[in-house]
Amino acid sequence: MNIPQARIISQKIVEALIAESSNRKFIFTYLKEKHQILIEEGQDWLAKIYLPWTVECSQDAEIAENPDTHFSLVLIRAGQAVTGYFHQGQLIDHKVFRAYMVRQKQGKSQIKHLKTKGKSRAGSRIRLAETERFFEEINERLTSYSSLYPIDFWGISCAKTMWPFYFSSGIAPPFSPKAENLIELPFHISQASFEELKSAGELLQKYHLILSEKGKAEFEEFETRIIPSAKSEDW
């Protein structure tokens, strides 16, 4: 599990990269909806730095540890989902959900089937009811987190085809599709399991760097200069 084209780096390297960029008068933008720092030169982007969900960031790209972080993740796949609540980076609570919503012979979810052949048969009606309850149970759990903790970030991994059904559930999630603190996870989740939840939580507590082709050229000398003194820093 990883962010495509990204590499994990340390906070020390991030701070050095930001200082180098500042010296070169590059433009910094903190994108709250991605919890990411974007570095640009003119109309070209050079670097994207995905920040750990355990740190705070100002619009001037000043990074500071958040001493009391709260975030929640929800991973949804057809027929299975998992929710989790993390406090200061530790997984405190989780729950796995399962539902009979996949058509056995065709191997596709009832949601996809509804788009083509409707819901007239008994099996289809059962799967549809299971699907509706599936989303309601997920949102009940997330709402309990929202009522108990000041959630800084909500992370979601869910196919876009499911979004209309998920957000129109009889029990609504404690966030809207356009909420500023709702982040679509930038990496692939193969299954909505406890193991994937733990891995996702760990990955979200690291710094990830993506350089554009121009960014690689711009920072080539910087990279050569800093690597010898930071071999243990996962550059």
Side-chain angles (χ1 to χ4, degrees):
M1 181 187 295
N2 64 289
I3 298 176
Q5 302 180 350
R7 49 183 166 173
I8 296 173
I9 58 176
S10 69
Q11 182 171 335
K12 179 179 178 181
I13 297 298
V14 169
E15 291 170 348
L17 182 62
I18 290 175
E20 180 81 3
S21 299
S22 180
N23 290 337
R24 297 193 189 186
K25 308 299 182 184
F26 294 151
I27 300 170
F28 296 89
T29 306
Y30 170 60
L31 305 176
K32 187 174 182 179
E33 68 275 12
K34 296 182 179 180
H35 198 44
Q36 174 193 102
I37 294 175
L38 179 65
I39 302 176
E40 300 172 288
E41 182 184 30
Q43 300 298 314
D44 301 318
W45 73 272
L46 305 175
K48 297 176 182 178
I49 303 172
Y50 289 85
L51 304 175
W53 288 19
T54 51
V55 304
E56 300 173 320
C57 185
S58 70
Q59 288 298 330
D60 297 324
E62 294 182 356
I63 300 169
E65 289 291 328
N66 184 340
D68 188 30
T69 58
H70 304 261
F71 67 87
S72 176
L73 303 181
V74 54
L75 317 180
I76 304 174
R77 293 292 178 269
Q80 184 166 329
V82 61
T83 61
Y85 160 67
F86 296 76
H87 181 225
Q88 293 178 292
Q90 298 298 313
L91 179 57
I92 304 300
D93 180 83
H94 83 280
K95 185 173 178 60
V96 176
F97 304 86
R98 293 181 176 84
Y100 169 57
M101 56 186 289
V102 176
R103 296 172 59 80
Q104 296 299 323
K105 292 183 180 180
Q106 291 86 347
K108 63 181 179 180
S109 71
Q110 182 63 25
I111 286 176
K112 292 181 180 179
H113 181 70
L114 284 174
K115 291 184 176 181
T116 57
K117 295 188 178 180
K119 55 182 179 180
S120 59
R121 294 187 179 182
S124 295
R125 291 196 298 272
I126 292 172
R127 285 188 292 273
L128 181 59
E130 284 276 312
T131 299
E132 292 172 347
R133 185 57 189 157
F134 176 66
F135 290 142
E136 289 174 355
E137 289 180 343
I138 292 169
N139 288 336
E140 281 179 348
R141 195 70 168 197
L142 295 177
T143 298
S144 72
Y145 296 159
S146 178
S147 64
L148 292 172
Y149 314 111
I151 303 296
D152 299 298
F153 299 108
W154 298 98
I156 186 170
S157 175
C158 176
K160 281 293 188 180
T161 54
M162 290 190 187
W163 277 52
F165 300 91
Y166 174 65
F167 283 98
S168 64
S169 167
I171 298 175
F175 44 77
S176 73
K178 296 184 179 180
E180 284 191 346
N181 65 341
L182 175 64
I183 300 176
E184 290 187 67
L185 300 186
F187 43 82
H188 175 68
I189 300 294
S190 60
Q191 56 184 326
S193 65
F194 174 60
E195 290 72 20
E196 292 279 275
L197 177 70
K198 288 194 299 181
S199 297
E202 292 170 0
L203 201 62
L204 292 170
Q205 296 179 60
K206 298 177 180 179
Y207 290 91
H208 304 262
L209 172 68
I210 298 178
L211 294 174
S212 67
E213 289 304 314
K214 184 174 181 180
K216 292 175 184 177
E218 288 288 348
F219 294 114
E220 182 178 8
E221 185 274 333
F222 164 77
E223 186 174 348
T224 302
R225 173 161 41 86
I226 201 168
I227 285 178
S229 62
K231 288 183 178 179
S232 63
E233 299 292 345
D234 292 327
W235 175 270

